Amino acid sequence: MTTHARIDDFVAAEVLTPGDALVTARLGRITGESADLPLLALAFAVRAVRHGSTCFDPRHDPEVPGLTWPEPDAWLRAVEGSALGRVLVVEHGLLYLDRYRRLEVALCEDLTARATLSAPPLDEDRLTEDLDRLFPDAEHADQRAAAERAARVGTIVLTGGPGTGKTTTVAGVLAILQAQSLAMHGRSLRVALTAPTGKAAARMREAVAATASRLALTDDERTWLTALPSSTMHRLLGWRPDNHTRFRHDRLRRLPHDVVVVDETSMASLEHVARLLEALRPDTRLILVGDADQLASVEAGAVLHDVVAGWSDEHVVRLTRSHRFGAGIGRLAAAVRDGDADTAVELLTAGDPAIRLVQPDQGVSLVESTLLPIARDLVAAGRRDDADTALRRLGEHRLLCAHRDGPYGAATWNERVTSGLRHDVGYGDWYPGRPVLVTRNDAQLGVFNGDAGVVVEREGQLVVAVDGEPVREFATSRLPDVQTGYAMTIHRSQGSEFAQVTVLLPDADSRAMTRELLYTAITRAVDAVTVIGTTDDIRTAIGRRVARSSGIAERLAARQPAAR
């Protein structure tokens, strides 16, 4: 790049897209700005949001051969003296599109304000009795401590890996708070269970109901917990046909609930969390639940990760003891999460059949020899109208890919497996035993993006059995938005679990090859995980973090309130 940076240079280098350039040109015309460097800063701010950041950090040089990156201070000075002040803001050495700065500031101000409020008073004797009843042994001591903390503060972040008991803790807290409300106010709590996606919301409801059957609850408590509805955050806030960035519930029309629980918060965007916070009454209890080490939202923001990093320990509880995995998978997940590549490689190559690394030149034959028998078993079960067997077999294994398309992509492998069945099932899109993934929410049908099902044949007709509690059945014509599901992307697998997982790593130079991606993939497995790649691939993935720029952690850390 010459002394005068230009957008076209970075478009030609495929760092910026033509879309980034078009948006920047339009905003430049609106504001009257024509200088190269401020417009280039604006283009990178647009790119940053597209890549999931809430701001552009000029210290992050993409290191394009032949192009010289301006000094960070040069970016900042150029913007501060430009006409872009209405759309591009400099703060703390970062460059924000104004809308995302306002969202960040509002979120941090609301969390800080909630932290200064005292939680409602508790009946201490009843609290102790309920904690003893619901968490009676040492095995659940960490969940008991988390539940007590959640009962004592108005806002809590409950984070931890898969199987660490987050749902058990939430169910226990809700039972405790319900008992307190009945005793002190004579009425049931108004509770909202919500999540960023329809699938996550539905699974939260199912998980809370399943947990209710295992806890030492009274019949009334179990009935109340099991009956709690769930919804997406979008639906909870209330969709507005006249405005796609605002909701029916806001600071002027607050949500009526006493408690709001957000599951899979790692998948929630900055926009949705900020809008939820502004719609809560100050006395509404808020419980944010999720795994801060997983992949973040596909939209701008890594809110859970940033809040855990920056907020007061008084309001953040991390559960660490896994009750799901075998010891090997748990150690591998911890090594990846902590950036310990040496231990991860050692575990993957130590000969443990539950966690193994397979070289790429053996990967194709391994995947085919794994998936084709499963596919044939699904066809056999589908032809005899045995949905239970088909769904159980489907849940035994899943191939997880970093990409949807390309040689390492889920779509490629779905087509490859389907081609291997054509002699038996014909060439139509629908056939008995076809595994399907729903790709679009349909609230009327009660199916959501990411739901899995299998096609079965009944009296000459094909029916899709969709997994869940209970299993639901639909004519194929009612589920047009599906794709074949022998393989799926790691992003789409979030919130799911399978007995065995095979992870197909992409080329080492893939942007998707990150620590968070590998951690998310590994933690989908319950019993065994196979990673197809090299030791260098593992080290590359663990050494590369998802680069999302944000000021949330710093803003929260700078506003730490006095603990109450």
Side-chain angles (χ1 to χ4, degrees):
M1 188 175 70
T2 62
T3 302
H4 299 289
R6 297 185 61 86
I7 291 174
D8 290 346
D9 297 323
F10 285 95
V11 173
E14 298 184 347
V15 175
L16 297 173
T17 67
D20 297 332
L22 286 172
V23 171
T24 300
R26 182 181 181 191
L27 290 173
R29 288 193 298 271
I30 292 172
T31 59
E33 180 57 68
S34 59
D36 287 338
L37 193 52
L39 289 176
L40 184 60
L42 177 59
F44 271 95
V46 172
R47 174 185 182 267
V49 170
R50 181 167 55 79
H51 283 184
S53 295
T54 61
C55 56
F56 164 49
D57 187 341
R59 293 167 295 185
H60 291 172
D61 182 350
E63 299 181 356
V64 181
L67 299 182
T68 303
W69 190 249
E71 289 296 321
D73 287 345
W75 291 101
L76 304 179
R77 286 194 302 270
V79 172
E80 286 174 334
S82 78
L84 294 174
R86 286 183 288 165
V87 293
L88 193 61
V89 180
V90 176
E91 189 172 10
H92 305 309
L94 302 171
L95 292 163
Y96 286 88
L97 295 177
D98 180 62
R99 176 168 175 267
Y100 289 93
R101 177 193 170 276
R102 285 187 280 109
L103 285 171
E104 248 195 33
V105 170
L107 179 144
C108 293
E109 287 180 346
D110 283 337
L111 282 178
T112 301
R114 295 184 67 82
T116 63
L117 298 174
S118 298
L122 298 170
D123 180 328
E124 293 291 341
D125 290 340
R126 180 174 293 276
L127 175 62
T128 300
E129 292 173 4
D130 287 340
L131 287 168
D132 290 342
R133 171 169 60 98
L134 297 170
F135 305 101
D137 50 48
E139 182 181 356
H140 298 97
D142 55 343
Q143 295 165 29
R144 176 192 172 114
E148 182 173 2
R149 176 83 64 81
R152 293 190 181 282
V153 299
T155 302
I156 193 84
V157 178
L158 185 63
T159 186
T164 52
K166 297 188 296 293
T167 301
T168 299
T169 303
V170 167
V173 170
L174 292 177
I176 288 168
L177 295 178
Q178 167 73 346
Q180 293 278 333
S181 181
L182 290 173
M184 301 181 72
H185 307 294
R187 67 172 182 84
S188 286
L189 288 174
R190 295 164 294 185
V191 176
L193 303 180
T194 188
T197 69
K199 180 183 77 168
R203 292 194 173 179
M204 181 189 191
R205 182 184 66 248
E206 293 168 5
V208 168
T211 301
S213 67
R214 299 193 297 269
L215 289 174
L217 300 170
T218 67
D219 289 344
D220 287 344
E221 288 171 336
R222 186 171 292 108
T223 299
W224 176 77
L225 266 178
T226 303
L228 290 177
S230 65
S231 70
T232 64
M233 296 173 72
H234 195 281
R235 174 167 287 192
L236 176 68
L237 289 168
W239 179 73
R240 279 177 52 175
D242 62 322
N243 192 321
H244 291 168
T245 64
R246 303 293 300 184
F247 296 92
R248 185 165 56 87
H249 290 288
D250 54 22
R251 295 194 195 280
L252 299 179
R253 292 169 291 275
R254 307 275 190 166
L255 288 164
H257 303 89
D258 303 302
V259 183
V260 173
V261 182
V262 184
D263 198 17
E264 298 289 357
T265 311
S266 64
M267 299 166 62
S269 67
L270 169 63
E271 172 114 40
H272 277 121
V273 180
R275 299 304 186 203
L276 175 64
L277 283 167
E278 74 174 21
L280 296 179
R281 300 194 323 262
D283 61 342
T284 297
R285 289 178 177 270
L286 175 64
I287 305 174
L288 299 174
V289 186
D291 187 346
D293 300 305
Q294 278 191 184
L295 288 166
S297 166
V298 296
E299 300 176 60
V303 177
L304 183 65
H305 176 273
D306 292 341
V307 170
V308 169
W311 210 19
S312 165
D313 289 343
E314 174 75 13
H315 296 275
V316 177
V317 174
R318 183 184 285 273
L319 296 171
T320 58
R321 180 179 179 180
S322 177
H323 303 271
R324 179 206 285 185
F325 302 128
I329 295 178
R331 289 198 301 270
L332 177 61
V336 173
R337 181 196 66 210
D338 297 339
D340 186 350
D342 289 341
T343 298
V345 168
E346 181 182 346
L347 289 168
L348 283 164
T349 56
D352 184 345
I355 47 172
R356 57 178 179 154
L357 182 69
V358 173
Q359 296 301 307
D361 59 358
Q362 302 171 348
V364 171
S365 60
L366 173 68
V367 173
E368 288 181 340
S369 65
T370 301
L371 293 186
L372 282 172
I374 294 173
R376 294 189 180 105
D377 289 348
L378 292 177
V379 170
R383 282 177 170 162
R384 63 175 184 266
D385 188 18
D386 189 349
D388 289 342
T389 297
L391 290 170
R392 184 169 58 252
R393 186 74 169 108
L394 180 62
E396 290 174 358
H397 178 274
R398 194 61 52 91
L399 174 65
L400 301 182
C401 305
H403 301 288
R404 184 181 184 279
D405 301 309
Y408 302 96
T412 300
W413 276 100
N414 283 324
E415 179 55 37
R416 193 163 186 159
V417 175
T418 303
S419 296
L421 297 175
R422 287 304 184 192
H423 179 73
D424 297 322
V425 301
Y427 290 87
D429 290 337
W430 294 98
Y431 54 87
R434 179 193 179 192
V436 296
L437 285 172
V438 176
T439 59
R440 183 173 65 85
N441 293 341
D442 189 326
Q444 286 189 324
L445 290 182
V447 296
F448 302 100
N449 186 3
D451 280 350
V454 177
V455 178
V456 297
E457 185 174 12
R458 178 173 304 148
E459 298 178 356
Q461 301 296 316
L462 296 181
V463 176
V464 182
V466 176
D467 201 9
E469 294 291 341
V471 172
R472 292 151 298 155
E473 297 182 346
F474 305 94
T476 57
S477 60
R478 299 191 71 193
L479 292 176
D481 296 300
V482 299
Q483 63 188 37
T484 302
Y486 301 107
M488 66 194 301
T489 64
I490 296 169
H491 264 287
R492 194 179 290 277
S493 75
Q494 286 182 268
S496 301
E497 64 178 54
F498 311 97
Q500 300 181 32
V501 160
T502 299
V503 184
L504 182 58
L505 294 181
D507 286 330
D509 59 358
S510 167
R511 277 186 56 246
M513 183 84 102
T514 64
R515 183 187 305 179
E516 291 82 0
L517 177 106
L518 184 57
Y519 172 82
T520 301
I522 288 169
T523 54
R524 300 310 93 202
V526 176
D527 299 323
V529 60
T530 297
V531 180
I532 298 174
T534 66
T535 56
D536 286 344
D537 291 337
I538 297 297
R539 293 182 184 279
T540 297
I542 292 175
R544 182 185 293 156
R545 304 299 306 270
V546 171
R548 291 202 172 189
S549 297
S550 160
I552 291 174
E554 290 75 11
R555 291 181 197 278
L556 287 174
R559 310 169 176 235
Q560 293 290 357
R564 290 200 176 187

